[in-house]
């Protein structure tokens, strides 16, 4: 449900980082997409199983209370929105570069260095990770496949941000949730509840109004 609100911080960071201004209609469309996706994602078998899994996964931090989860959710939305806005600024504002490969190289290099430093110096899990791959060599091929898929995904993300901006990218990622669940329902012949139909209608009506400038 939190991921459904990605478009809202994207608008806020667009104003703060990119110096853009948005009209009331842009905020209304963003709110309609967020509410529609939230209604869609919190209804049905998938959402119920996710809630059950989340209750089991968070038992270890139950002492922190709901505030811990809310803080993590807000931090995720803030950092994710800032990342897209900063990438947009690097492409269009500060440096006006057209090369997405340089950005991918340096971002991933620093991410890898940070992850290695954390796993080596903080929680000492680097040895355990290497040992796991040695015990299960097939896992290395899975890691390579995931890395290649992630690379292709990053290329699509950066090209979208460069050509169309961070707000449209957030809209695409938000709408993807509805499309993926619709596809899942079609493939596995799951029934759609009335609340899901209402959520999907709200999402696509909001997007259509933006597309037609109506």
């Amino acid at each position: 449900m939190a991921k459904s609100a990605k478009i809202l911080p994207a608008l806020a960071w667009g104003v703060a980082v990119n110096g853009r201004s948005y009209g009331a209609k842009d905020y209304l469309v963003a709110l309609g997409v967020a509410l529609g996706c939230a209604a869609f994602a919190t209804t049905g078998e998938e959402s119920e199983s996710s809630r059950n899994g989340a209750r089991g996964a968070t038992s270890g931090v139950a002492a922190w209370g709901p505030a811990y989860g809310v803080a993590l959710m807000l931090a995720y939305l803030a950092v994710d929105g800032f990342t897209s806005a900063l990438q947009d600024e690097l492409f269009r504002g500060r440096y006006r570069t057209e090369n997405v490969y340089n950005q991918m190289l340096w971002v991933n290099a620093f991410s890898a260095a940070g992850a290695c430093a954390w796993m080596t110096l903080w929680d000492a899990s680097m040895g355990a990770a290497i040992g796991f791959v040695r015990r299960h060599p097939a896992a290395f091929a899975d890691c390579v496949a995931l890395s290649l898929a992630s690379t292709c995904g990053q290329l699509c993300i950066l090209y979208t941000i460069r050509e169309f901006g961070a707000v449209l990218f957030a809209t695409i990622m938000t709408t993807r949730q509805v499309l993926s669940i619709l596809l899942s329902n079609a493939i596995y012949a799951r029934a759609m509840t009335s609340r899901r139909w209402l959520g999907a209608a709200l999402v696509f009506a909001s997007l259509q109004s933006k597309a037609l400038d109506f």
Side-chain angles (χ1 to χ4, degrees):
M1 180 176 177
K3 293 177 71 175
S4 303
K6 289 181 67 172
I7 189 172
L8 296 174
L11 288 173
W13 283 118
V15 174
V17 176
N18 307 121
R20 295 195 174 96
S21 60
Y22 302 97
K25 180 181 177 180
D26 295 308
Y27 291 101
L28 289 175
V29 169
L31 185 61
V33 172
L35 291 177
C37 286
F40 197 91
T42 56
T43 308
E45 297 176 0
E46 292 89 347
S47 59
E48 182 64 29
S49 61
S50 299
R51 286 192 292 268
N52 293 335
R55 282 194 290 266
T58 57
S59 59
V61 294
W64 292 88
Y68 181 75
V70 172
L72 289 177
M73 177 190 71
L74 293 177
Y76 159 75
L77 289 175
V79 174
D80 185 75
F82 176 76
T83 300
S84 299
L86 183 58
Q87 288 173 331
D88 192 4
E89 174 67 14
L90 294 178
F91 281 130
R92 298 179 177 217
R94 190 175 306 172
Y95 302 111
R96 298 187 182 276
T97 177
E98 296 293 323
N99 195 331
V100 301
Y101 305 110
N102 287 339
Q103 192 173 136
M104 282 186 62
L105 172 63
W106 291 109
V107 168
N108 288 316
F110 278 100
S111 297
C116 290
W118 179 278
M119 296 175 66
T120 303
L121 303 175
W122 185 261
D123 63 0
S125 60
M126 179 67 77
I130 296 175
F132 178 85
V133 175
R134 286 180 176 175
R135 292 191 303 272
H136 307 279
F140 182 77
D142 294 331
C143 291
V144 172
L146 287 173
S147 298
L148 291 175
S150 178
T151 300
C152 294
Q154 281 190 349
L155 285 172
C156 295
I157 288 171
L158 290 174
Y159 274 115
T160 301
I161 293 174
R162 187 188 71 179
E163 297 296 330
F164 304 104
V167 173
L168 181 62
F169 168 70
T171 305
I172 293 172
M173 296 301 291
T174 301
T175 310
R176 176 182 62 91
Q177 297 180 84
V178 176
L179 296 177
S180 64
I181 297 177
L182 285 173
L183 183 61
S184 174
N185 287 337
I187 292 175
Y188 298 105
R190 293 193 178 104
M192 285 278 289
T193 64
S194 58
R195 185 176 174 182
R196 281 196 164 177
W197 282 118
L198 179 61
L202 181 58
V203 169
F204 291 115
S206 300
L207 295 176
Q208 187 70 6
S209 68
K210 178 67 175 177
L212 296 178
D213 196 25
F214 172 71

